[in-house]
Amino acid sequence: MKNLNEEDIRARAASLYEVTPDITGLRILFTNVYFIGAPGPFNKWVLVDAGLQGSANRIKKTAEDLYGKGTKPEAIVLTHGHFDHVGALPELLKEWDVPVYAHPLELPYLTGKSKYPPSDPGAGGGALSIFSWIFPIKPINISQHIKEIPSDGIPELPGWKVINTPGHSPGHVSLFRERDRVLIAGDAFCTVNQSSLLAVMTQEKKVQGPPRYFTIDWQQAKESVERLSHLYPTVAATGHGIPMAGTVMQQELGILVDNFETIAIPQKGHYYKTPAKADRSGITNKKTPTSNIIAKVATAVSLALITSALVYVGFRNKRS
């Protein structure tokens, strides 16, 4: 790993960071949420994504620090509905009666109608991929609050374009503000290798493809990254990793686009060969990747062997 300067060390240690003067990012364990709106008492703001289950209090506390006690967003926008982007929603919506916007193809996973496809631990890339079979794929149900993203944009986010960026999930979207070329990319690409536990722990900044273990259509994912690169963003705030800006980010994004097959797409993987298909009812081809089944069996066998060894050692100790 390269030597870190003081700014890098501070950035990696921080969990709250300024993306622009009117956008604040909050990292909760290994995923990010974003507050769009200039900090200040009674200022209007919008929340992008909702982190992991159990993070509602952290999100509310940060919002009150930024906008004042009792604040609530004008709306919540979801880049997609994976567990680490919607985990706090049910609890937040008990207190915040606000609209939640998502792409139509994400609605089955937000209204209790369809699970996401199982993860593919065989996609590789690191320990998080291997253990991805434990990540939840069940839908949540926020039908009372959910709204399709309007074709002309989100009314609570004037000046922002919604860019369809499927591949990581069927209805994944990114947000782009043209006046300062700020991009909120969700998981269309990351600024950390999200498949690697070591990379996630160190938060080493590097433009990477979407998390391998949950990406279900690699051709779409490639086209989505190309689409975002053609916007020539000056700032990229992603679902995983520290936001990046300037020429380094732009160069790395260009390298990712030019070398997507070797950098992002796994050499092995169920969804590379057999993309998951989806419509407004949810996933239509639901075959579980073999690697997911093997990972579950291997874990069960390992736990059984460990348990047997502990029982045996306890029995020996008792006899002696």
Side-chain angles (χ1 to χ4, degrees), residues 79-120:
T79 60
H80 61 302
H82 282 159
F83 79 102
D84 52 339
H85 294 257
V86 303
L89 265 183
E91 187 174 349
L92 290 173
L93 293 173
K94 290 178 183 178
E95 185 172 334
W96 294 346
D97 184 16
V98 299
V100 179
Y101 290 98
H103 188 278
L105 289 180
E106 289 296 296
L107 297 193
Y109 322 105
L110 302 169
T111 56
K113 294 180 179 178
S114 176
K115 295 179 180 180
Y116 277 108
S119 68
D120 183 10

Side-chain angles (χ1 to χ4, degrees), residues 203-216:
Q203 287 292 295
E204 182 173 7
K205 290 189 290 186
K206 187 171 182 61
V207 173
Q208 299 276 348
R212 287 182 172 186
Y213 45 83
F214 266 165
T215 298
I216 58 174

Side-chain angles (χ1 to χ4, degrees), residues 52-223:
L52 293 154
Q53 185 177 3
S55 62
N57 286 338
R58 180 92 178 276
I59 292 171
K60 287 188 287 187
K61 174 66 166 58
T62 302
E64 291 191 345
D65 290 343
L66 292 170
Y67 304 107
K69 190 170 179 60
T71 188
K72 69 176 183 179
E74 297 292 297
I76 299 171
V77 180
L78 300 177
T79 60
H80 61 302
H82 282 159
F83 79 102
D84 52 339
H85 294 257
V86 303
L89 265 183
E91 187 174 349
L92 290 173
L93 293 173
K94 290 178 183 178
E95 185 172 334
W96 294 346
D97 184 16
V98 299
V100 179
Y101 290 98
H103 188 278
L105 289 180
E106 289 296 296
L107 297 193
Y109 322 105
L110 302 169
T111 56
K113 294 180 179 178
S114 176
K115 295 179 180 180
Y116 277 108
S119 68
D120 183 10
L128 286 183
S129 276
I130 294 172
F131 293 105
S132 63
W133 66 269
I134 68 174
F135 295 156
I137 59 172
K138 291 182 179 180
I140 63 172
N141 190 345
I142 53 167
S143 302
Q144 291 181 315
H145 298 271
I146 199 70
K147 290 182 178 292
E148 292 187 11
I149 294 174
S151 58
D152 57 351
I154 297 167
E156 292 85 354
L157 278 180
W160 288 85
K161 291 183 178 179
V162 179
I163 313 296
N164 291 347
T165 47
H168 183 61
S169 73
H172 190 287
V173 298
S174 304
L175 303 174
F176 182 68
R177 187 166 64 185
E178 194 161 1
R179 66 174 172 83
D180 53 4
R181 315 202 76 74
V182 173
L183 173 67
I184 297 179
D187 286 3
F189 66 89
C190 300
T191 55
V192 69
N193 180 2
Q194 188 59 27
S195 296
S196 166
L197 180 60
L198 178 61
V200 170
M201 290 174 65
T202 61
Q203 287 292 295
E204 182 173 7
K205 290 189 290 186
K206 187 171 182 61
V207 173
Q208 299 276 348
R212 287 182 172 186
Y213 45 83
F214 266 165
T215 298
I216 58 174
D217 189 319
W218 284 102
Q219 182 59 39
Q220 284 189 342
K222 178 183 178 182
E223 293 169 357

Side-chain angles (χ1 to χ4, degrees), residues 109 114-115 117 275-287:
Y109 322 105
S114 176
K115 295 179 180 180
K277 303 298 182 183
D279 57 23
R280 285 175 175 257
S281 67
I283 299 299
T284 57
N285 58 338
K286 299 182 179 181
K287 184 178 179 181

Side-chain angles (χ1 to χ4, degrees), residues 255-291:
I255 291 170
L256 175 63
V257 170
D258 293 339
N259 301 276
F260 195 82
E261 287 82 358
T262 55
I263 294 175
I265 298 178
Q267 298 302 306
K268 299 178 180 179
H270 175 82
Y271 296 117
Y272 172 57
K273 297 179 180 179
T274 312
K277 303 298 182 183
D279 57 23
R280 285 175 175 257
S281 67
I283 299 299
T284 57
N285 58 338
K286 299 182 179 181
K287 184 178 179 181
T288 300
T290 302
S291 63

